[in-house]
Amino acid sequence: MVTPSRITLARKRRGLTLAELSRTTGLSLQSLSNYETGRTSPRSTTVRRLAEALGFPEGFFSGHEIDELPAEGISWRARTKTPPRTLDAARAAGTLAARLYDWIDEQFRLPEPDLPSLPKPDAETAAEMVRRRWGLGNAAAPNMVHLLEAHGVRVFSLPADSLEVDAFAVWRGTIPFVFLNTMKSVERGRFDAAHELGHLVMHGSDDKHCSGPDAERQANSFASAFLMPAASVLGHMPAGARVDQILEAKSIWRVSAMALTYRLHDLNLLTDWQYRSVCAELSSRGYRTGEPSGLEQRETSQVLAKVFRALRTKGIRPADVAAELDIAVEEMNSMLFGLTLTTVETSGGTAKTEERQRPALRLVSS
């Protein structure tokens, strides 16, 4: 039996409307609507056509109901004019990643969520409270993906077809998820991770107002304070800092030049005129849209890397995991920050498995 919601999920994952899927498959719009609502069930030959058009194995469509990520609880970090279908595709990708998490959670003991719920304090205070709880003091934040994972946040990368979305966060029950765009600069990726942490902490799982201008401003302020603690910035930066001083100092906190400039203005170390002048000069040097001469080592998942390394020792390949989830290997790879295992030839002609990127931290308990 075909599960109707899985057809809908696969269609949304590909960013298609019913009409577009109808044109792609040659199936009537009414038939597709009936399949998705469960009024009728497609024949096996029809399922094959859907699978080919949507890029999913046929078995995907006959699995149990999938617990989708709640649409009302997502905090989108995306352009205001991002089409709804793009957001639906990103949410569907997140739902598939959450299924991978469920599979991993059955095999390994992962860190328990350790996020305080702080709906009352202002963003600056909330950031200080989380830092205190996590024992960070006023030191620069370490690898943000590792830090979130160590405190129970499940972090995945967004696929290439969702690059209009910078990031998003959502609670699924008691489990927090963060999804990050890996095509941005390392510094801006760190800011996105801290931004989504702000949403999780300040807006919670039941807040239906976790998106919008006010929520975005609060999350931005949280990220700025979390990555650049006031005491640390005041101790390192002079009043009226020049552009060259900002470019030299941004590596202390591993943030973008624009983010540090904003923080200096927020802490009254730059006047309004100085802030505008610095922003104009940074923009002329390309720092508005990128991060010239920025950090090169992208922050990726340690949990996922260690999980797949442990699976490798048991003879379980990524393709085996994808097959159990009834998704394509490429679909699963898009969630994993490029940390999937690849087979290469040694000089002696024998095959061995290597990781594309090796995280350095300790193994997750299994």
Side-chain angles (χ1 to χ4, degrees):
M1 292 295 293
V2 169
T3 305
S5 62
R6 284 181 172 244
I7 301 176
T8 305
L9 180 65
R11 175 176 61 78
K12 289 184 176 180
R13 174 66 194 90
R14 301 301 172 227
L16 298 175
T17 64
L18 277 172
E20 289 168 338
L21 183 57
S22 175
R23 290 194 293 271
T24 301
T25 60
L27 300 169
S28 72
L29 186 62
Q30 185 61 57
S31 293
L32 289 172
S33 178
N34 287 340
Y35 299 154
E36 290 197 5
T37 57
R39 293 192 189 96
T40 59
S41 185
R43 298 175 180 176
S44 58
T45 54
T46 302
V47 173
R48 189 171 303 117
R49 291 166 69 178
L50 289 171
E52 291 174 355
L54 295 171
F56 280 82
E58 291 180 46
F60 174 82
F61 299 96
S62 58
H64 57 74
E65 289 283 349
I66 294 178
D67 182 18
E68 292 192 61
L69 296 180
E72 68 280 0
I74 291 180
S75 61
W76 293 109
R77 184 162 173 77
R79 301 176 183 89
T80 55
K81 295 184 179 180
T82 300
R85 69 167 68 188
T86 301
L87 300 181
D88 284 342
R91 178 180 166 230
T95 294
L96 296 176
R99 287 192 67 236
L100 173 60
Y101 153 72
D102 290 337
W103 187 90
I104 292 172
D105 193 45
E106 292 177 357
Q107 317 296 324
F108 299 88
R109 189 185 320 124
L110 301 178
E112 292 294 326
D114 177 31
L115 274 66
S117 177
L118 304 172
K120 298 296 183 181
D122 61 89
E124 186 88 23
T125 303
E128 291 175 358
M129 294 174 72
V130 176
R131 278 184 147 271
R132 191 179 309 119
R133 177 173 178 142
W134 290 359
L136 297 177
N138 290 315
N143 182 308
M144 282 300 299
V145 178
H146 292 183
L147 182 65
L148 293 179
E149 289 181 327
H151 294 278
V153 182
R154 312 319 184 200
V155 188
F156 294 91
S157 56
L158 284 167
D161 56 22
S162 296
L163 296 186
E164 288 184 63
V165 178
D166 291 331
F168 73 92
V170 65
W171 286 87
R172 189 184 68 160
T174 60
I175 303 298
F177 286 84
V178 165
F179 300 88
L180 299 173
N181 181 330
T182 60
M183 299 304 292
K184 303 177 71 176
S185 71
V186 177
E187 293 88 347
R188 296 183 188 214
R190 282 171 55 80
F191 194 92
D192 285 346
H195 176 102
E196 298 309 324
L197 173 61
H199 278 301
L200 292 171
V201 168
M202 294 187 296
H203 302 137
S205 58
D206 299 322
D207 193 328
K208 295 185 179 181
H209 305 287
C210 58
S211 59
D214 288 341
E216 287 301 293
R217 281 191 290 271
Q218 290 169 2
N220 277 337
S221 295
F222 177 97
S224 183
F226 188 86
L227 292 173
M228 296 166 280
S232 179
V233 174
L234 293 170
H236 282 89
M237 300 300 296
R242 302 184 306 275
V243 168
D244 60 334
Q245 291 175 305
I246 292 172
L247 293 179
E248 182 179 356
K250 71 188 184 76
S251 62
I252 296 173
W253 302 280
R254 288 185 284 171
V255 296
S256 70
M258 285 292 190
L260 178 54
T261 301
Y262 179 89
R263 184 62 167 155
L264 293 176
H265 181 243
D266 190 46
L267 294 174
N268 297 315
L269 292 176
L270 290 177
T271 65
D272 291 346
W273 182 86
Q274 290 170 331
Y275 173 70
R276 289 192 297 268
S277 297
V278 170
C279 286
E281 185 172 347
L282 288 173
S283 182
S284 70
R285 296 193 191 186
Y287 285 91
R288 175 73 65 180
T289 56
E291 203 62 30
S293 302
L295 298 171
E296 297 181 359
Q297 187 66 41
R298 181 162 301 283
E299 297 186 349
T300 60
S301 169
Q302 65 170 333
V303 167
L304 295 171
K306 292 172 181 178
V307 161
F308 279 93
R309 188 187 305 152
L311 292 173
R312 182 186 66 185
T313 65
K314 299 177 182 178
I316 300 174
R317 304 169 301 160
D320 299 326
V321 179
E324 284 205 39
L325 298 174
D326 282 314
I327 59 175
V329 173
E330 295 76 15
E331 183 74 52
M332 188 179 74
N333 287 350
S334 70
M335 314 169 185
L336 305 180
F337 294 94
L339 292 171
T340 54
L341 306 180
T342 58
T343 300
V344 298
E345 292 295 322
T346 65
S347 57
T350 57
K352 71 173 184 177
T353 306
E354 290 187 347
E355 293 162 13
R356 293 179 184 168
Q357 301 176 28
R358 284 188 183 275
L361 300 188
R362 297 168 53 201
L363 183 63
V364 179
S365 297
S366 62

